[in-house]
Amino acid sequence: MKHALSINQVARYEDLGYLSPLPVFSAREVQSLRDQFERFERHHGASSAGLRTDLHLLERWAWDVVTDRRVVDRVVSLLGENVLLWSMNWFIKDAGDGKFVSLHQDANYWGLEPHDVVTAWIALSDASPDTGPMAFLPGSHRGALYDHENTYAENNLLSRGQVSVAQVSNEETSLAPLAAGEMSLHHVRLLHGSGPNVSQDRRIGMVLRYCGTQVRQTKGSDTAVLVNGVDSYGHFELLAKPKVDNGARERKVHLDAVERMGKIIMAD
Ligand SMILES: O=C(O)CCC(=O)C(=O)O
């Protein structure tokens, strides 16, 4: 694999539960990705926030990101040969909008078992310290799964404003700033969150969730995309690349996938 992680990087991930920063896209490439995303936002207006989940099922440029070897080879280094893309989310903080993400563990509410799940967080704009980049609690993926409380706080970007009951001070967490075009990788059990964006630009995170093909969805029927190797388990309905951008068939497939995921995420 041309873009595989080194043995040291894999050992570091296993120890800390994350790796950051990893260069992926050139300045020109990331500007083009940002332009395409912001064109999508302008085209759909207010409804773009609902449509951007799993955008790879609607727009081919987004599919090309989730299958890019520079992303996938690194994920394969952590998960093994047979890998699915489970979903794509966007975590966007506009300049000064006060949005934040409370400290949480993803493993608590995605229904994916076992926890062979990695998130690739790709910065489409600079995620410098003043933009509220992610902060991780190193090594927490090796510890307990904590209970979470739903706060539904207005400025919390999480669907339920969920916050872990773990007592963690800011000093214990490590900030993971990224330049546009870089990514971080983090484990599904790792405690993480982020503060508000006090910079002059948007902080745009394109967030890809990958899992091994052995992983099951325990909360309902679900979809995924095979990005490497073979799927001999068949736990997910596998979806194909959009033939055209935003076509009628693509919109139907996308809506169905997003509705299924919504039920899973919001189920207790
Ligand atoms: O973008 C953020 O600040 C948080 C992202 C996050 O919680 C995640 O990727 O799981």
Side-chain angles (χ1 to χ4, degrees):
M1 281 189 306
K2 191 166 164 210
H3 304 284
L5 295 171
S6 69
I7 290 171
N8 283 348
Q9 284 176 311
V10 173
R12 194 170 162 75
Y13 175 86
E14 281 169 2
D15 181 34
L16 299 179
Y18 71 95
L19 271 181
S20 181
L22 297 165
V24 182
F25 296 109
S26 68
R28 229 177 60 189
E29 285 176 305
V30 78
Q31 186 59 54
S32 157
L33 292 175
R34 179 172 179 169
D35 289 346
Q36 290 181 90
F37 176 65
E38 291 185 331
R39 198 172 309 133
F40 157 84
E41 282 185 311
R42 281 193 301 277
H43 180 75
H44 291 283
S47 56
S48 71
L51 289 172
R52 68 191 183 203
T53 300
D54 283 353
L55 191 56
H56 59 288
L57 301 175
L58 268 187
E59 305 233 340
R60 287 167 295 179
W61 67 267
W63 178 281
D64 291 342
V65 175
V66 308
T67 54
D68 192 295
R69 296 315 313 180
R70 292 167 290 183
V71 179
V72 172
D73 283 3
R74 270 107 164 221
V75 172
V76 168
S77 303
L78 301 177
L79 292 179
E81 186 65 13
N82 304 315
V83 174
L84 302 170
L85 171 88
W86 174 56
S87 69
M88 174 196 286
N89 299 122
W90 295 82
F91 279 82
I92 299 176
K93 296 173 187 166
D94 288 323
D97 69 1
K99 303 284 186 204
F100 68 98
V101 175
S102 50
L103 203 67
H104 66 285
Q105 286 166 307
D106 298 323
N108 263 323
Y109 52 102
W110 288 352
L112 299 175
E113 303 277 351
H115 292 155
D116 303 324
V117 186
V118 170
T119 290
W121 197 107
I122 301 175
L124 294 199
S125 60
D126 282 340
S128 49
D130 55 347
T131 66
M134 274 207 290
F136 300 117
L137 183 66
S140 51
H141 65 303
R142 289 186 272 108
L145 265 191
Y146 291 95
D147 285 339
H148 285 61
E149 284 164 4
N150 295 334
T151 67
Y152 297 101
E154 195 188 331
N155 279 340
N156 195 326
L157 286 177
L158 297 179
S159 47
R160 297 182 252 188
Q162 57 269 43
V163 58
S164 152
V165 299
Q167 297 293 317
V168 179
S169 67
N170 282 348
E171 291 69 44
E172 292 173 86
T173 60
S174 294
L175 218 53
L178 297 171
E182 292 180 333
M183 74 171 172
S184 60
L185 297 172
H186 72 265
H187 193 282
V188 70
R189 293 175 70 100
L190 192 73
L191 277 159
H192 62 285
S194 66
N197 177 6
V198 295
S199 78
Q200 302 299 312
D201 191 14
R202 313 176 79 189
R203 192 213 68 160
I204 307 174
M206 182 186 205
V207 185
L208 315 180
R209 324 287 192 182
Y210 295 93
C211 63
T213 52
Q214 72 280 11
V215 171
R216 287 172 295 110
Q217 175 53 263
T218 62
K219 290 172 140 191
S221 95
D222 206 349
T223 64
V225 169
L226 183 67
V227 294
N228 203 71
V230 290
D231 176 12
S232 52
Y233 292 89
H235 292 321
F236 294 81
E237 183 185 336
L238 298 184
L239 302 177
K241 181 171 182 172
K243 287 202 165 49
V244 293
D245 291 336
N246 202 26
R249 190 177 173 283
E250 284 73 12
R251 288 200 299 273
K252 194 161 169 269
V253 169
H254 173 256
L255 182 65
D256 174 58
V258 172
E259 279 182 355
R260 286 202 232 177
M261 166 143 354
K263 282 189 196 136
I264 286 161
I265 299 291
M266 297 314 281
D268 275 322

